[in-house]
């Protein structure tokens, strides 16, 4: 399901002295079955944007189209929101704070049960989802609260995978995790994408953007500042966006300046770089 | 002077899960120590034990010459301040000035002095223009700056940063790191204990303590750990790009030295045809 956003604006506490315009006339497209990264400084409108995608927030102006669903500023027309949320789900920042049930399997089965699956089917879906995030049977009956931070987060993500949405939105999925925990989550995201899911990641980590994203959206003060591929972003002027250019990208530029013939837009990892250098020889 | 002395410290959440095993550590006054290690290795637990938020099973913790126990805990807490990870979980006041004043209210500081101190510390952390702002108008970095003002206004001997930058964007993180640097210059006697996953951040300290599964594996100067990519890989720390690159080049047979800069490695790669 491709996503199309047309002239979207969102204002918090409209018509009060505390009015804040979080999104200002944003138009963009999020490609189907790709990994899109949304970046921008704190307060740039990232969280507001992702909450409009599944109807948690309704636009002040403009529309959001997700496949055939259209979300407008008229709440009466937005009747299919519950249906829409089966197709597009958000994993919020620090999702482990939202775990609540007695056991891991019950927690993950909550979503499918909520969408009408019977207990047994819901548990089956929960077990499948847990397998995908690398949580094995020995965890099923344990309390989610006695797990480590990284395990909790994987369980929380399994809760969303169990609903089997077409589009997954992850807000800072690796924040606060150690490098090992981060890699597990990132590999999982990559696998989900390969199995046909559209992925949207909100992140401050430009290494993730370089290594994983197909498409990048930059927001700045509620406006669309950039839309395209990461290499074009890093090549341009990023001084206003609170972005740290990845060291790998900087190194590729350095090689290019010294005359190496490499195609930076196709390089995501150190291995990619050296493979290109090898082919060139 | 030794600011923190930890002897044979053990702690477990229950019988089956020891969290810290026989920890021995000494931290000098004015030292900046980074504690690194995987999630669940016991870093935060160690800090909570130092300020008495958790009670040890056995061993001894001595802060500023005082052995931590029920009688000394209040005295010790006056000496140690902690800044936690989540900026939203430690903002107590309705406004920035209220929040900084809250720290002082607990210590019976007279109102007149409090007003001066609040202004002074808000200025130190660069938040003097936000005194009457509510937390919802502040960025994560700004909230953490206020949290640092809350901590420092009590004039502690020891400042603990428990992943204080991990929820911030790169700009917010930079704000905090340069602030910590400034604090250190203004007060060389302030001891800083920083818990972090960020190897570049850990690099700022005088010393690194590497924890793994509740035990101290290594304490050394940051550059010593930084060079040892084997240890970094073994304990799942993030690997600085230069180390990754050197490793890759060595695998491919380039003659690389530890001191080689990106510039130098770049030249070597371009020249070898």
């Amino acid at each position: 399901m491709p996503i199309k956003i047309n002239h979207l604006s969102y204002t918090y506490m409209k018509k009060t002295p505390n009015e804040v315009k979080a999104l200002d006339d944003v138009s963009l497209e999020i490609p189907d079955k790709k990994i899109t990264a949304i970046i921008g400084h704190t307060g740039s409108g990232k969280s507001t944007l992702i909450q409009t995608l599944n109807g948690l927030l309704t636009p002040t102006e403009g529309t959001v189209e997700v496949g055939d669903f259209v979300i407008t500023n008229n709440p009466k027309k937005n009747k299919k929101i519950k249906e829409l949320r089966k197709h597009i789900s958000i994993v919020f920042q620090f999702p482990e704070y939202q775990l609540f049930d007695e056991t891991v399997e019950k927690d993950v089965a909550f979503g499918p049960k909520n969408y009408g699956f019977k207990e047994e089917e819901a548990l089956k879906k929960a077990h499948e989802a847990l397998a995908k995030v690398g949580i094995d049977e020995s965890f099923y009956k344990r309390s989610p609260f006695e797990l480590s931070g990284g395990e909790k987060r994987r369980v929380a993500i399994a809760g969303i995978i169990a609903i089997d949405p077409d589009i997954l939105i992850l807000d800072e999925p690796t924040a606060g995790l150690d490098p090992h925990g981060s890699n597990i989550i990132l590999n999982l995201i990559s696998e989900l994408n390969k199995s046909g899911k559209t992925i949207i990641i909100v992140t401050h980590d430009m290494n993730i953007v370089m290594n994983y994203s197909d498409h990048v959206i930059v927001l700045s003060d509620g406006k669309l500042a950039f839309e395209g591929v990461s290499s074009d972003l890093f090549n341009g002027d990023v001084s206003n966006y609170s972005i740290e250019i990845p060291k790998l990208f900087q190194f590729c530029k350095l090689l290019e300046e010294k005359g190496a013939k490499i195609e930076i837009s196709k390089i995501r990892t150190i291995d990619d770089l050296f493979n290109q250098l090898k082919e060139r020889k | 002077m030794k600011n923190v002395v930890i002897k044979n410290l053990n702690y477990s959440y229950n019988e089956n899960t020891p969290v810290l095993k026989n920890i021995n550590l000494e931290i000098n006054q004015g030292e900046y120590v980074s504690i690194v290690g995987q999630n669940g290795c016991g870093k935060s637990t160690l800090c909570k034990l130092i300020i008495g938020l958790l009670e040890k099973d056995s061993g001894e913790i001595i802060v500023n010459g005082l052995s931590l126990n029920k009688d000394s805990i209040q005295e010790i807490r006056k000496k140690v301040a902690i800044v936690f990870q989540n900026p939203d979980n430690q903002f107590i006041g309705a406004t920035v000035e209220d929040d900084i004043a809250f720290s002082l209210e607990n210590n019976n500081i007279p109102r007149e002095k409090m007003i001066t101190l609040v202004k002074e510390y808000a200025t130190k952390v660069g938040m003097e223009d936000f005194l009457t702002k509510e937390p919802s108008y502040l960025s994560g970095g700004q909230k953490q700056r206020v949290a640092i003002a809350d901590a420092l206004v009590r004039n502690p001997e020891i400042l603990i940063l428990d992943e204080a930058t991990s929820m911030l964007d790169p700009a917010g993180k930079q704000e905090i790191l340069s602030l910590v640097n400034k604090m250190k210059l203004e007060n060389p006697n302030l001891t800083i204990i920083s818990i972090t996953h960020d190897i570049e951040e850990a690099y700022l300290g005088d010393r690194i303590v590497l924890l793994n599964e509740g035990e101290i594996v290594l304490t050394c100067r940051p550059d010593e750990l930084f060079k040892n990519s084997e240890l970094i890989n073994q304990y799942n720390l993030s690997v600085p790009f230069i180390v990754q690159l050197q490793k890759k080049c060595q695998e491919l047979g380039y003659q690389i030295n530890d001191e080689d800069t990106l510039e130098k490695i770049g030249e070597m790669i371009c020249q070898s045809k």
Side-chain angles (χ1 to χ4, degrees), chain B residues 2 9 17 31 34 42 47 63 66 78 91 94 98-99 130-131 146 149 160 176 204 211 220-221 226 229 235 241 262:
Chain B
K2 302 274 181 248
L9 178 69
T17 34
E31 204 179 6
S34 309
C47 289
V63 178
L66 280 175
K78 283 183 193 161
F91 209 107
D98 277 0
D99 198 63
F130 297 85
L131 285 173
V146 175
I160 300 178
I176 299 304
L204 300 173
L211 273 179
C220 63
R221 283 202 326 272
F226 198 61
S229 56
Y235 295 108
F241 176 74
L262 288 181

Side-chain angles (χ1 to χ4, degrees), chain A residues 6 10 36 48 65 75 82 134 137 147 149 153 160 172-173 183 196 199 212 217 222 229 249 252 258 274 279 281:
Chain A
N6 308 301
Y10 188 86
T36 297
T48 306
E65 295 171 31
K82 193 172 175 192
E137 272 173 52
L147 308 183
R153 186 159 310 172
I160 297 295
E172 293 279 356
N183 283 336
I199 307 278
Y212 293 92
I217 288 162
V229 294
F249 189 86
C252 290
K258 292 189 185 300
F274 281 93
E279 279 166 26
K281 270 188 188 174

Side-chain angles (χ1 to χ4, degrees), chain A residues 1-243:
Chain A
M1 281 189 189
I3 298 173
K4 213 172 160 211
I5 290 168
N6 308 301
H7 302 287
L8 174 66
S9 294
Y10 188 86
T11 309
Y12 286 99
M13 294 184 275
K14 200 169 165 63
K15 292 178 185 158
T16 73
N18 296 329
E19 186 172 301
V20 181
K21 198 161 193 178
L23 289 175
D24 187 0
D25 195 18
V26 172
S27 295
L28 55 86
E29 285 181 34
I30 295 176
D32 199 19
K33 299 188 192 329
K34 301 272 188 208
I35 299 183
T36 297
I38 301 181
I39 56 189
H41 58 82
T42 312
S44 63
K46 305 185 297 283
S47 298
T48 306
L49 177 65
I50 61 173
Q51 289 178 70
T52 62
L53 295 181
N54 78 342
L56 279 176
L57 297 174
T58 44
T60 308
E61 283 165 64
T63 57
V64 175
E65 295 171 31
V66 181
D68 296 334
F69 298 92
V70 183
I71 307 169
T72 68
N73 61 0
N74 183 351
K76 284 179 189 155
K77 284 188 180 168
N78 300 336
K79 279 180 181 158
K80 289 180 179 164
I81 293 282
K82 193 172 175 192
E83 180 64 23
L84 168 67
R85 289 192 187 139
K86 270 190 215 172
H87 297 281
I88 180 165
S89 295
I90 305 180
V91 177
F92 286 102
Q93 221 181 95
F94 292 85
E96 56 272 28
Y97 293 160
Q98 296 163 31
L99 297 171
F100 65 97
D101 221 321
E102 288 167 356
T103 66
V104 166
E105 62 176 5
K106 275 191 191 169
D107 203 291
V108 177
F110 177 79
K113 261 167 82 178
N114 216 11
Y115 282 112
F117 286 96
K118 294 216 175 65
E119 181 84 28
E120 219 168 278
E121 289 170 299
L123 279 176
K124 192 170 164 250
K125 285 191 172 289
H127 295 163
E128 284 165 8
L130 285 165
K132 281 191 185 145
V133 301
I135 297 283
D136 66 37
E137 272 173 52
S138 65
F139 285 87
Y140 289 176
K141 304 285 181 207
R142 285 173 66 183
S143 160
F145 301 105
E146 59 184 41
L147 308 183
S148 79
E151 288 162 355
K152 276 188 203 165
R153 186 159 310 172
R154 280 188 276 153
V155 169
I157 294 177
I160 297 295
I161 295 177
I163 306 169
D164 197 25
D166 301 310
I167 304 168
L168 258 105
I169 305 170
L170 301 111
D171 191 357
E172 293 279 356
T174 61
L177 293 185
D178 63 28
H180 178 63
S182 297
N183 283 336
I184 292 177
I185 302 284
L186 290 168
N187 288 336
L188 170 67
I189 289 171
S190 185
E191 285 304 314
L192 286 168
N193 175 243
K194 280 180 197 147
S195 73
K197 308 281 183 206
T198 302
I199 307 278
I200 300 167
I201 310 179
V202 176
T203 184
H204 290 307
D205 186 336
M206 291 309 127
N207 291 314
I208 295 180
V209 173
M210 181 162 184
N211 296 347
Y212 293 92
S213 76
D214 303 300
H215 190 74
V216 184
I217 288 162
V218 182
L219 293 177
S220 180
D221 295 325
K223 293 195 173 66
L224 179 69
F226 174 89
E227 189 179 7
V229 294
S230 64
S231 54
D232 286 345
L233 172 67
F234 298 144
N235 251 329
D237 176 16
V238 296
S239 49
N240 292 327
Y241 309 146
S242 180
I243 284 176

Side-chain angles (χ1 to χ4, degrees), chain B residues 237-270:
Chain B
L237 301 168
S238 55
V239 185
F241 176 74
I242 180 103
V243 176
Q244 291 180 39
L245 183 66
Q246 286 168 347
K247 196 168 164 239
K248 191 78 203 167
C249 287
Q250 275 156 3
E251 276 169 23
L252 294 170
Y254 292 100
Q255 297 297 313
I256 299 282
N257 296 316
D258 281 353
E259 313 74 66
D260 285 349
T261 57
L262 288 181
E263 185 81 24
K264 185 104 185 283
I265 298 174
E267 262 167 33
M268 209 179 299
I269 291 174
C270 287

Side-chain angles (χ1 to χ4, degrees), chain B residues 87-96 99 133-135 138 143 146:
Chain B
D88 292 312
N89 289 355
Q90 47 195 331
F91 209 107
I92 296 155
T95 63
V96 169
D99 198 63
K133 291 281 186 222
E134 295 166 24
L138 306 179
K143 283 180 210 165
V146 175

Side-chain angles (χ1 to χ4, degrees), chain B residues 13-221:
Chain B
Y13 283 116
N14 58 48
E15 282 167 23
N16 303 322
T17 34
V19 182
L20 291 171
K21 297 171 221 165
N22 198 29
I23 299 288
N24 285 287
L25 182 66
E26 292 187 350
I27 297 173
N28 295 319
Q29 186 171 36
E31 204 179 6
Y32 180 169
V33 175
S34 309
I35 303 183
V36 299
Q38 297 179 42
N39 286 112
C41 72
K43 306 185 294 286
S44 295
T45 306
L46 180 60
C47 289
K48 284 179 184 154
L49 285 162
I50 295 174
I51 53 169
L53 279 177
L54 296 172
E55 208 177 322
K56 63 183 191 280
D57 294 348
S58 64
E60 191 175 19
I61 298 168
I62 303 165
V63 178
N64 253 21
L66 280 175
S67 177
L68 177 70
N69 55 38
K70 281 197 182 102
D71 298 324
S72 66
I73 191 167
Q74 292 308 329
E75 202 51 41
I76 285 177
R77 283 192 183 157
K78 283 183 193 161
K79 308 283 181 204
V80 188
I82 187 161
V83 177
F84 292 102
Q85 179 178 38
N86 190 333
D88 292 312
N89 289 355
Q90 47 195 331
F91 209 107
I92 296 155
T95 63
V96 169
E97 55 185 358
D98 277 0
D99 198 63
I100 302 176
F102 180 82
S103 290
L104 299 168
E105 281 165 356
N106 272 336
N107 291 356
N108 288 326
I109 310 273
R111 183 179 156 79
E112 289 311 309
K113 199 176 171 204
M114 218 191 271
I115 293 171
T116 341
L117 279 173
V118 166
K119 282 217 179 95
E120 184 187 334
Y121 279 84
T123 309
K124 270 188 198 237
V125 299
M127 291 296 289
E128 67 276 19
D129 295 335
F130 297 85
L131 285 173
T132 56
K133 291 281 186 222
E134 295 166 24
S136 53
Y137 289 92
L138 306 179
S139 71
Q142 288 170 333
K143 283 180 210 165
Q144 286 303 66
R145 267 149 63 187
V146 175
I148 291 179
D150 295 348
L152 293 179
V153 75
R154 298 191 292 122
N155 200 19
E157 305 259 339
I158 300 162
L159 175 65
I160 300 178
L161 305 167
D162 187 354
E163 295 195 46
T165 64
S166 73
M167 287 179 75
L168 305 179
D169 66 12
K173 186 171 143 185
Q174 212 44 55
E175 276 173 32
I176 299 304
L177 295 183
S178 36
L179 176 61
V180 169
N181 208 8
K182 182 172 152 244
M183 294 300 147
K184 203 79 197 94
L185 290 174
E186 281 173 12
N187 181 5
N189 285 333
L190 180 68
T191 304
I192 296 179
I193 303 176
S194 161
I195 295 181
T196 180
H197 283 311
D198 186 329
I199 198 85
E200 320 269 347
E201 193 177 323
Y203 199 56
L204 300 173
D206 302 316
R207 185 153 62 106
I208 283 186
V209 174
L210 173 59
L211 273 179
N212 186 54
E213 293 178 2
E215 288 173 295
I216 295 181
V217 181
L218 177 81
T219 100
C220 63
R221 283 202 326 272

